[in-house]
Amino acid sequence: MRRCLQLARCGAAGAPPNPMVGAVLVAEGRIIGEGYHRQCGGPHAEVNALASVRERDLIPRSTLYVSLEPCAHYGKTPPCADLIIRERIPRVVVGCRDTFARVNGLGIRKMQEAGIEVVVGVLEQECRWLNRRFFTFHGEGRPWVTLKWAQSRDGFIDRRRADASVPPEMLSSPFTQVLVHRLRARSQAILVGTRTAFLDNPSLTTRLWPGPNPLRLTIDRHGMLPADLRMFGGDAPWHVYPTGDVDEILSDLHRRGIQTLLVEGGATLLQTFIDAGRWDEARVETSPVTLGTGVAAPQIEGAWMRSRQLIDGHTIDWVERRREGEVKSLYSFTPWRSTLLPPMEHAPQADGARSS
């Protein structure tokens, strides 16, 4: 199953909005075929694994390992459960059940009714984690929400600026900026607040990393944003919301089929998502620079730290929202502690910048 997960990750760029899935066929103690879902609309992992088998006579004596329940419905491709039955595979090991409404146990049931031994729940946590965005979209009816900001060592995301003539404080290094653009390329939509759109005038594109540009989003309750902002130019699509209601925005994105949303600022918008509990993970970059005063960074209470990296003297933390009653063991999650200087008196929050 760990090999299935390795293979599934190879489809990170092409599989979405479908889930990432890997499949391995084992017979006589060795792997005889393997595959993964490469491209949305293309063959599924099980199809590719079976197509790779040269010793076809071993298939009826094999075990198929697959990280996600095989589908049982006709979509862009035929049902994988039917193919497994047709190939007379006697045993199937499934990492986790697919909670998508058109599957949700039907693939497992169809295989069992055909006399196939089906084992479910091997490395289940890891398999669900791999497709957390997919499961959140279908289970909670909203995109997976990633928050992103860079802050000074003393906890500010920018100096206070009255107008767009004053450039924003650069708190990312050239290399960590590239990493942000990689994150954008892996997100279907990106959202910034009104003041960030106006003061920073960001393009919100993936120009530093190969990949598709996300749908660019901002909020404008009073029609104050000028039409010549960079985010309204170029070939990448954009949309303006007349409301800052988080649930309305997320519901609209769900209707549009957007599974991943990156929220880049400013501070007020980020804090709104945090306070509403409508976020899943955050990328927090802490610069070695101190500002002394400015726009205070968002505050997160109760989060799990997934990883911490030190790059060019900058600390990058990936943290996750801590849900009630949750005890994290997967990948050694620990309670998050920021790398800020000792507590200090922060200035009142305002919606500030830092997108480019």
Side-chain angles (χ1 to χ4, degrees), residues 6-324:
Q6 287 179 333
L7 290 165
R9 292 186 189 98
C10 296
N18 284 355
M20 294 174 279
V21 185
V24 173
L25 210 62
V26 175
E28 298 181 349
R30 57 189 175 87
I31 292 174
I32 61 170
E34 60 181 28
Y36 63 93
H37 184 37
R38 297 173 180 269
Q39 191 72 38
C40 180
H44 289 188
E46 302 93 325
V47 176
N48 288 329
L50 281 160
S52 73
V53 177
R54 293 183 178 179
E55 300 169 272
R56 310 296 297 182
D57 59 307
L58 292 179
I59 292 177
R61 304 199 300 274
S62 67
T63 296
L64 175 67
Y65 294 82
V66 59
S67 57
L68 185 68
E69 176 185 359
C71 63
H73 66 285
Y74 281 89
K76 294 180 179 178
T77 59
C80 290
D82 289 357
L83 174 64
I84 293 166
I85 294 167
R86 194 163 58 248
E87 292 285 353
R88 296 182 295 125
I89 297 172
R91 185 169 183 264
V92 177
V93 179
V94 176
C96 69
R97 186 169 174 154
D98 186 348
T99 55
F100 176 50
R102 297 185 68 186
V103 184
N104 201 19
L106 294 179
I108 292 168
R109 188 194 313 166
K110 180 178 275 193
M111 291 186 294
Q112 289 174 331
E113 289 175 350
I116 296 172
E117 178 190 353
V118 182
V119 179
V120 182
V122 176
L123 297 184
E124 184 173 12
Q125 265 193 301
E126 288 90 335
C127 291
R128 287 193 60 83
W129 166 255
L130 177 68
N131 285 305
R132 57 198 180 277
R133 300 168 183 88
F134 176 83
F135 287 127
T136 297
F137 180 81
H138 291 289
E140 299 187 27
R142 65 168 178 85
W144 175 272
V145 177
T146 302
L147 311 179
K148 192 279 296 182
W149 73 86
Q151 61 190 20
S152 64
R153 194 171 173 230
D154 51 351
F156 300 101
I157 67 168
D158 197 7
R159 299 191 186 278
R160 294 195 173 276
R161 294 178 287 136
D163 56 61
S165 65
V166 180
E169 193 70 32
M170 183 58 66
L171 294 173
S172 297
S173 73
F175 182 64
T176 60
Q177 276 189 295
V178 171
L179 297 181
V180 168
H181 283 235
R182 180 179 68 175
L183 178 60
R184 289 179 180 178
R186 295 176 177 177
S187 304
Q188 289 179 281
I190 181 170
L191 174 66
V192 296
T194 310
R195 285 176 59 83
T196 298
F198 179 70
L199 292 177
D200 283 13
N201 192 13
S203 298
L204 303 180
T205 60
T206 58
R207 61 193 179 279
L208 301 181
W209 189 267
N213 288 311
L215 172 63
R216 299 173 294 178
L217 307 168
T218 190
I219 298 163
D220 190 4
R221 297 182 184 88
H222 307 295
M224 64 167 284
L225 294 177
D228 61 352
L229 290 179
R230 292 191 187 101
M231 70 166 290
F232 300 148
D235 296 330
W238 55 270
H239 180 75
V240 178
Y241 286 105
T243 175
D245 185 283
V246 169
D247 287 325
E248 285 187 31
I249 292 171
L250 294 178
S251 293
D252 178 70
L253 292 175
H254 183 263
R255 285 192 295 271
R256 292 168 180 260
I258 300 293
Q259 289 190 8
T260 50
L261 172 66
L262 176 63
V263 183
E264 286 208 7
T268 299
L269 181 64
L270 288 161
Q271 196 66 54
T272 299
F273 273 83
I274 293 168
D275 293 343
R278 297 296 188 266
W279 68 285
D280 298 290
E281 64 182 358
R283 179 193 185 275
V284 183
E285 178 176 348
T286 304
S287 166
V289 171
T290 57
L291 296 181
T293 186
V295 179
Q299 300 297 306
I300 295 178
E301 298 295 334
W304 296 107
M305 185 169 74
R306 191 164 81 224
S307 68
R308 172 170 286 174
Q309 292 177 289
L310 187 63
I311 301 174
D312 297 339
H314 296 238
T315 301
I316 298 178
D317 288 342
W318 277 97
V319 301
E320 280 197 33
R321 179 165 63 92
R322 192 170 185 171
R323 293 164 172 83
E324 187 176 352

